[in-house]
């Protein structure tokens, strides 16, 4: 019988010493497997790297970084370490631009992945008697199938709903008493508006209890807004295709950061400019190494995601390192008037204002070599019918808070509800017109 607290008690209750000892052995075997691929064999030879020079975690810095461009240039089979007849699945991740990245899985890789996702959901409180509705994309995107197989491994009744069809999603939640969902934050915000249009009160008419949210950065203010509306606990999920997909890190019930499963991955935080490690508690770029991947091990992968290792111990008793919520990406940052800004900073300000709706856009323009930032934000129905003095007061409040947070004064345009482009996939929050 499974422990009521732990999905995999032996892995989740490892001591710090036990984790590092396990990682040392797994790193050696991962290096050996990686050297079988065309990419790593050539990389090691070109730089004169000897895998045997790595005798422990202290030598991790000797291993060269792997970047997205390396994966793209190695498409389709350059990183493969197993013969094709041992492969069971392939996913593709291309991001927003550039050549696609192909990720391959053996049977053992898929079983490990499903088990890690099940571990995440179980830790957050999902149980076999629950009904799970997956509102994430299937197909080549890893989010859908990753959670699907994890939920099935856990033993829940699963509804592979996929994204879109908002009204039907709500109907299925009601008909089948869905109490656990997986969804991206922008779609969950969109469903708030849909439920209001349908006259559905989720707290009274639905059975929702847990929402697993990830795939795009979102603020703590958005989490609170979602929890207040739906009456659920919203848990942060972190994953990326290059590391399997979802299941890399997840929040426990204490919700003080996301535990990275260090029996499957090594996590580092580096300064993205100097490429040197930074101390726990300091923000930097997350770098990940797979430890158990058969088909396609990846070493010291620069994720471009900005976060930090949270110091101290978690109240849940697990000592697997915790990362903070993703602050943004090094390639999402934009510069206005010499100030570095991340879209999530704008969201934090907007979502703390009660009169603001759920949708906004950041538009960057350039005229006469001067850059400007325009924030277009929907306000609630009640506010939009007020007189101009009320709207102006709200606009000034947002502008003031933005200036305090960003050190830049944007132009703020208040627009009526549902006037900005809606989305049921990843939200397009930033429109940069400066190079147009």
């Amino acid at each position: 019988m499974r422990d009521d607290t732990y999905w995999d008690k032996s892995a989740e209750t490892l001591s710090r010493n036990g984790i590092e000892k396990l990682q040392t052995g797994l790193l050696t075997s991962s290096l050996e497997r990686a050297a079988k691929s065309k990419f790593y064999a050539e990389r090691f030879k070109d730089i004169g790297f000897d895998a045997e020079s790595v005798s422990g975690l202290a030598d991790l810095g000797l291993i060269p970084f792997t970047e997205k461009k390396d994966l793209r240039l190695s498409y389709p089979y350059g990183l493969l370490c197993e013969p094709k007849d041992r492969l069971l699945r392939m996913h593709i991740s291309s991001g927003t631009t550039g050549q696609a990245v192909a990720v391959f899985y053996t049977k053992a890789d898929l079983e490990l992945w499903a088990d890690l996702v099940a571990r995440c959901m179980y830790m957050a409180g999902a149980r076999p008697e629950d009904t799970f509705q997956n509102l994430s994309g299937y197909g080549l995107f890893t989010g859908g199938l990753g959670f699907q197989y994890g939920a099935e491994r856990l033993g829940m009744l699963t509804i592979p709903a996929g994204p879109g069809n908002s009204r039907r999603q709500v109907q299925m939640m009601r008909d089948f008493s869905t109490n656990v969902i997986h969804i991206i934050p922008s779609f969950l915000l969109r469903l708030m508006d849909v439920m209001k249009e349908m006259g559905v009160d989720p707290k009274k008419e639905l059975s929702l209890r847990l929402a697993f949210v990830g795939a795009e950065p979102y603020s703590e203010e958005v989490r609170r807004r979602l929890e207040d509306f739906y009456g659920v606990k919203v848990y942060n999920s972190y994953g990326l295709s290059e590391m399997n997909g979802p299941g890399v890190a997840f929040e426990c019930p204490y919700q003080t950061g996301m535990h990275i499963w260090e029996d499957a991955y090594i996590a580092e935080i580096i300064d993205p400019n100097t490429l040197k490690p930074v101390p726990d508690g300091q923000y930097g770029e997350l770098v990940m190494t797979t430890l158990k991947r058969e088909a396609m091990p990846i070493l010291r992968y620069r994720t471009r995601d900005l976060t930090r290792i949270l110091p101290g111990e978690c109240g849940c008793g697990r000592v697997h390192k915790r990362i903070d919520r993703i602050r943004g990406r090094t390639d999402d940052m934009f510069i206005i008037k010499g100030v570095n800004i991340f879209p999530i900073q704008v969201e934090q300000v907007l979502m703390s204002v009660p009169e603001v709706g759920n949708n906004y856009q950041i538009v960057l323009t350039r005229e006469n070599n001067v850059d400007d930032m325009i924030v277009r934000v929907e306000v609630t129905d009640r506010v939009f019918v007020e007189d101009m003095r009320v709207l102006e007061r709200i606009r000034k409040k947002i502008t003031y808070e933005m200036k305090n947070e960003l050190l830049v004064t944007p132009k703020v345009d208040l627009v009526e509800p549902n006037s900005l482009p809606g989305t049921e996939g990843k939200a397009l929050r930033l429109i940069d017109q400066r190079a147009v």
Side-chain angles (χ1 to χ4, degrees):
M1 185 175 180
R2 193 170 297 279
D3 187 283
D4 190 52
T5 303
Y6 303 102
W7 173 256
D8 185 347
K9 187 173 183 178
S10 62
E12 294 175 62
T13 59
L14 281 167
S15 66
R16 190 73 242 158
N17 212 33
I19 288 174
E20 292 175 0
K21 183 177 179 181
L22 177 64
Q23 286 182 327
T24 296
L26 291 173
L27 178 59
T28 298
S29 58
S30 195
L31 280 166
E32 291 173 354
R33 283 197 302 272
K36 297 177 183 178
S37 72
K38 181 176 184 292
F39 168 74
Y40 281 115
E42 292 178 353
R43 169 66 63 85
F44 292 172
K45 182 179 179 181
D46 288 345
I47 65 174
F49 172 73
D50 180 6
E52 293 184 0
S53 65
V54 177
S55 59
L57 299 180
D59 298 325
L60 196 61
L62 299 175
I63 303 171
F65 290 109
T66 306
E67 300 193 42
K68 188 85 164 186
K69 65 181 181 181
D70 298 322
L71 275 60
R72 287 174 172 156
L73 290 171
S74 299
Y75 179 91
Y77 295 119
L79 282 150
L80 194 58
C81 299
E82 293 287 342
K84 288 176 65 177
D85 61 7
R86 289 205 65 228
L87 305 179
L88 285 190
R89 195 190 304 166
M90 177 199 73
H91 283 281
I92 281 182
S93 170
S94 60
T96 54
T97 58
Q99 171 64 50
V101 170
V103 184
F104 299 95
Y105 305 78
T106 64
K107 184 174 186 289
D109 291 335
L110 291 176
E111 289 178 350
L112 170 67
W113 185 17
D115 205 63
L116 289 173
V117 176
R119 187 195 298 185
C120 292
M121 291 192 285
Y122 196 87
M123 175 176 65
R127 293 295 181 266
E129 59 267 24
D130 288 323
T131 297
F132 172 71
Q133 188 166 326
N134 194 1
L135 293 83
S136 184
Y138 283 74
L140 295 173
F141 175 58
T142 57
L145 285 173
F147 267 90
Q148 177 71 29
Y149 282 90
E152 290 179 358
R153 175 67 62 91
L154 197 154
M156 291 187 284
L157 169 64
T158 61
I159 304 173
N165 298 310
S166 300
R167 289 177 174 264
R168 188 181 180 197
Q169 299 278 10
V170 177
Q171 187 64 45
M172 286 192 292
M173 289 178 189
R174 185 158 45 191
D175 292 346
F176 299 104
S177 299
T178 299
N179 46 17
V180 181
I181 60 173
H182 170 233
I183 189 170
I184 63 174
S186 54
F187 190 18
L188 195 52
L189 286 168
R190 167 65 182 148
L191 283 182
M192 287 175 61
D193 296 330
V194 172
M195 288 188 190
K196 290 174 184 176
E197 292 168 7
M198 295 174 67
V200 173
D201 183 340
K203 293 180 181 178
K204 295 179 179 178
E205 300 177 54
L206 303 181
S207 304
L208 295 177
R209 184 169 62 85
L210 300 172
F212 303 144
V213 178
E216 59 186 18
Y218 69 105
S219 63
E220 190 63 26
E221 287 76 13
V222 164
R223 188 204 323 237
R224 287 197 292 269
R225 183 172 288 207
L226 294 172
E227 289 184 335
D228 288 345
F229 179 80
Y230 290 99
V232 300
K233 289 292 290 181
V234 174
Y235 283 86
N236 289 335
S237 166
Y238 178 75
L240 61 164
S241 297
E242 295 82 1
M243 295 291 114
N244 279 341
V248 174
F250 219 83
E251 285 185 321
C252 70
Y254 281 77
Q255 295 189 303
T256 53
M258 295 177 283
H259 289 279
I260 286 185
W261 300 125
E262 294 186 88
D263 55 315
Y265 306 100
I266 294 176
E268 307 169 72
I269 304 291
I270 64 167
D271 182 313
N273 297 312
T274 67
L275 306 185
K276 300 297 183 184
V278 302
D280 290 356
Q282 184 173 321
Y283 280 99
E285 180 183 342
L286 179 63
V287 173
M288 298 291 296
T289 296
T290 64
L291 291 175
K292 295 181 178 177
R293 181 91 70 83
E294 284 188 344
M296 193 173 153
I298 297 181
L299 309 173
R300 302 195 78 203
Y301 180 67
R302 295 189 59 186
T303 67
R304 303 293 177 180
D305 290 324
L306 294 169
T307 184
R308 58 177 176 163
I309 299 291
L310 293 171
E313 296 183 1
C314 181
C316 76
R318 296 172 180 86
V319 298
H320 292 259
K321 288 179 181 177
R322 292 167 297 137
I323 57 171
D324 208 345
R325 67 167 56 247
I326 302 303
R327 193 180 193 180
R329 291 179 54 82
T330 57
D331 44 11
D332 278 348
M333 184 188 77
F334 59 92
I335 301 175
I336 289 287
K337 303 184 190 310
V339 178
N340 297 342
I341 299 173
F342 293 95
I344 199 167
Q345 292 175 278
V346 176
E347 180 178 287
Q348 287 169 343
V349 172
L350 294 178
M351 294 302 156
S352 67
V353 178
E355 297 89 351
V356 163
N358 294 325
N359 206 0
Y360 67 92
Q361 282 186 339
I362 305 163
V363 182
L364 307 179
T365 63
R366 176 174 293 154
E367 187 174 351
N368 297 324
N369 295 317
V370 176
D371 290 353
D372 279 307
M373 173 180 167
I374 303 167
V375 178
R376 295 172 180 159
V377 55
E378 293 179 2
V379 292
T380 61
D381 286 304
R382 179 181 59 80
V383 170
F384 200 76
V385 297
E386 298 278 2
D387 63 39
M388 291 302 297
R389 289 174 299 176
V390 174
L391 287 173
E392 181 62 14
R393 177 180 59 79
I394 295 169
R395 189 191 68 78
K396 286 183 176 180
K397 177 182 178 182
I398 294 172
T399 303
Y400 175 78
E401 296 294 342
M402 286 281 184
K403 182 179 180 181
N404 283 346
E405 171 65 24
L406 307 177
L407 305 180
V408 168
T409 304
K411 178 184 178 185
V412 176
D413 288 342
L414 302 184
V415 300
E416 62 184 312
N418 302 316
S419 61
L420 294 176
T423 178
E424 293 181 336
K426 287 189 178 183
L428 180 61
R429 300 298 194 196
L430 178 65
I431 300 173
D432 193 342
Q433 300 177 340
R434 293 175 296 180
V436 176

